[in-house]
Amino acid sequence: MGTTPPTPSATTPAASSSPTDTERTDTERTDVERTDVERTDTDGALGWLRALGPRGRRAFAGAFGGYALDSYDYFTLPLSMVALAAYFGLNSGQTGLITTVTLVVSAVGGAAAGVIADRIGRVRALMITVATYAVFTVACGFAPDYETLLVFRALQGLGFGGEWAVGAVLVAEYASAKHRGRTLGAVQSAWAAGWGLAVIVYTLVFQFLDANLAWRVMFWTGALPALLVVWVRRRVQDAPKAVEKLDTSDRKGSFVKIFRPGLLRTTLFAVLLSTGVQGGYYTLATWVPTYLKSDRGLTVVNTGAYLAFLISGAFIGYLTGGHLTDRLGRKRTIVLFAVLSAVCILVYTHIPDGANTLLLVLGFPLGFCMSAIFSGFGSFLSELYPTAVRGTGQGFTYNTGRAVGAVFPTLVGFLADSWGVGGALVFGAIGYALAVVALLGLPETRGRELL
């Protein structure tokens, strides 16, 4: 762009022009980015982002975007659940089953995506998962009956289950041990961003369209992630160190290895941890919109306002939890927010009738606590496994926990008719108690370098 190329010297390779990013070898890119990090203040508020380097920041953008749109596509269901139930004539158990099927199949998708990420690379696996959940979310909008919707939603779970684990591993392998907690916490905050976008679109769509058409339009908007796939394909690459380790490993992507004596204990307790936290979370994520409408009698617009407080708390919770997991440690942070989340559920569901203003205010701490607990998951699970099976371990434990935790929303659905949705939500608190028990069998990993 009008500048004179540097002349060769003892320390500068001879070249007719500065090499482009695509022309550098993996080693050369690593050296350049290491220099970029060393020249940057990594202790400020955004030091974790600067410390990633240019390629790491692109990986972060891809993972953040993928998880935000993953969240958006997921929430098209709970937000449309009342309209779906009316359209197909479903009871609470049948609507809860749609969520359960999605989460159970997501375990298969997540475990498979982890193996794929270890065998063909993180970025390629990321594109596969995003494309999968986008295609089948759109397909849900064309479902002619309940059974077809159930099948499409299950297939959507294949991509939905894999995206987070793959994206988290991709970014974790760029992040330094010092900043890994807050970096992965920032990726996790994308869930709240996608949730918020879904609520905005839901409010507009259901305000201006008949409910029988509006729920279909919500699913059709799930085509948005296709644009992200194109960008990721062009701009995002795996971390060079991870590529080198995967290339030299003969046991990458092995389910057998994560169940061998050296990792068996870790795998079992990580599954229990994921089960407890996600059982609590998905109980709330699935049933709070219905609770606000059925038990509290709120309109679509008012429900959106209440969810805005919940989601705002969630977004700040993800970022705060990320910082705390680097300061307090992975385990202490999870225990702290497990206790606070359980307390929030009990308080939130026992607010007297007519005190809807208090319900609004308490939505913020509820969203904050139940989201902050997830901030350490990306770093914690990544640090528990070596590179060759990191995707496999993280994908399997996180998503198996999600599948088992899916029983919680179903229990709420079947008990809602007799207990009321608010009363049945107590199962979320039980999930958080399981998470605390699981931590007794796992080591603290703060500051651990990825091997």
Side-chain angles (χ1 to χ4, degrees):
M1 298 291 293
T3 60
T4 303
T7 56
S9 67
T11 58
T12 304
S16 59
S17 61
S18 298
T20 65
D21 189 59
T22 56
E23 291 172 337
R24 298 189 187 106
T25 65
D26 282 340
T27 301
E28 289 172 333
R29 290 192 196 101
T30 304
D31 290 342
V32 169
E33 289 172 20
R34 186 181 297 114
T35 301
D36 178 75
V37 171
E38 291 171 351
R39 293 175 179 174
T40 306
D41 174 17
T42 61
D43 293 325
L46 294 178
W48 60 269
L49 184 61
R50 292 191 293 269
L52 287 171
R55 291 180 67 192
R57 288 192 287 271
R58 290 197 294 273
F60 173 84
F64 186 97
Y67 199 44
L69 292 170
D70 195 7
S71 170
Y72 179 91
D73 279 15
Y74 172 79
F75 279 105
T76 54
L77 174 62
L79 290 170
S80 304
M81 192 173 284
V82 172
L84 279 169
Y87 186 87
F88 291 119
L90 310 178
N91 58 38
S92 296
Q94 288 174 310
T95 53
L97 182 61
I98 303 175
T99 296
T100 298
V101 167
T102 304
L103 299 180
V104 169
V105 176
S106 76
V108 178
V115 174
I116 292 170
D118 285 337
R119 293 186 177 181
I120 69 171
R122 314 329 188 183
V123 173
R124 290 179 182 176
L126 182 65
M127 291 189 293
I128 291 171
T129 59
V130 173
T132 300
Y133 73 66
V135 167
F136 288 107
T137 297
V138 173
C140 287
F142 293 98
D145 50 45
Y146 173 69
E147 292 74 18
T148 304
L149 176 64
L150 207 60
V151 171
F152 284 154
R153 193 64 181 179
L155 294 173
Q156 188 262 3
L158 290 174
F160 165 72
E163 193 286 331
W164 178 82
V166 175
V169 169
L170 171 66
V171 176
E173 290 171 342
Y174 274 107
S176 65
K178 176 182 178 181
H179 296 297
R180 192 173 296 118
R182 68 200 74 181
T183 303
L184 272 296
V187 173
Q188 201 82 47
S189 72
W191 184 263
W195 188 4
L197 179 61
V199 170
I200 292 171
V201 174
Y202 154 79
T203 303
L204 294 173
V205 169
F206 276 81
Q207 190 74 1
F208 294 107
L209 295 177
D210 180 81
N212 289 336
L213 175 62
W215 70 265
R216 294 187 183 276
V217 173
M218 279 296 297
F219 284 117
W220 292 337
T221 60
L224 289 172
L227 299 176
L228 177 69
V229 173
V230 176
W231 184 83
V232 168
R233 179 182 175 85
R234 294 172 59 90
R235 301 288 293 165
V236 182
Q237 297 168 302
D238 289 343
K241 289 183 179 179
V243 172
E244 181 180 351
K245 290 179 181 178
L246 288 173
D247 285 345
T248 57
S249 173
D250 60 352
R251 294 305 303 273
K252 58 187 178 182
S254 170
F255 277 123
V256 174
K257 192 168 184 178
I258 67 172
F259 286 101
R260 286 187 170 178
L263 291 174
L264 176 60
R265 177 187 175 91
T266 294
T267 298
L268 295 179
F269 278 99
V271 167
L272 183 60
L273 173 65
S274 295
T275 297
V277 172
Q278 296 191 87
Y281 178 83
Y282 282 108
T283 296
L284 292 171
T286 301
W287 286 105
V288 163
T290 299
Y291 169 69
L292 294 175
K293 291 177 184 177
S294 63
D295 285 32
R296 311 301 300 206
L298 301 181
T299 65
V300 169
V301 174
N302 285 336
T303 299
Y306 279 66
L307 289 176
F309 269 75
L310 190 68
I311 295 167
S312 298
F315 183 76
I316 296 174
Y318 284 128
L319 297 179
T320 303
H323 281 272
L324 288 178
T325 197
D326 279 337
R327 292 180 179 273
L328 301 179
R330 309 333 186 194
K331 294 174 64 173
R332 288 182 180 177
T333 302
I334 291 173
V335 170
L336 171 65
F337 287 111
V339 172
L340 292 177
S341 295
V343 170
C344 283
I345 291 174
L346 296 176
V347 173
Y348 192 76
T349 55
H350 288 81
I351 295 173
D353 291 340
N356 285 345
T357 300
L358 182 58
L359 192 73
L360 172 68
V361 173
L362 287 179
F364 187 91
L366 176 65
F368 180 93
C369 294
M370 74 182 202
S371 299
I373 194 172
F374 278 100
S375 295
F377 263 62
S379 52
F380 194 29
L381 295 181
S382 292
E383 291 159 352
L384 289 173
Y385 290 95
T387 299
V389 291
R390 183 168 297 123
T392 303
Q394 185 152 329
F396 178 84
T397 56
Y398 188 83
N399 288 286
T400 300
R402 176 185 276 167
V404 180
V407 173
F408 288 70
T410 301
L411 288 174
V412 172
F414 282 107
L415 292 172
D417 293 332
S418 56
W419 292 21
V421 176
L425 283 174
V426 71
F427 278 94
I430 295 174
Y432 290 117
L434 286 177
V436 173
V437 172
L439 289 172
L440 297 175
L442 294 170
E444 176 56 59
T445 61
R446 181 179 59 164
R448 179 178 292 184
E449 296 292 343
L450 298 186
L451 302 176

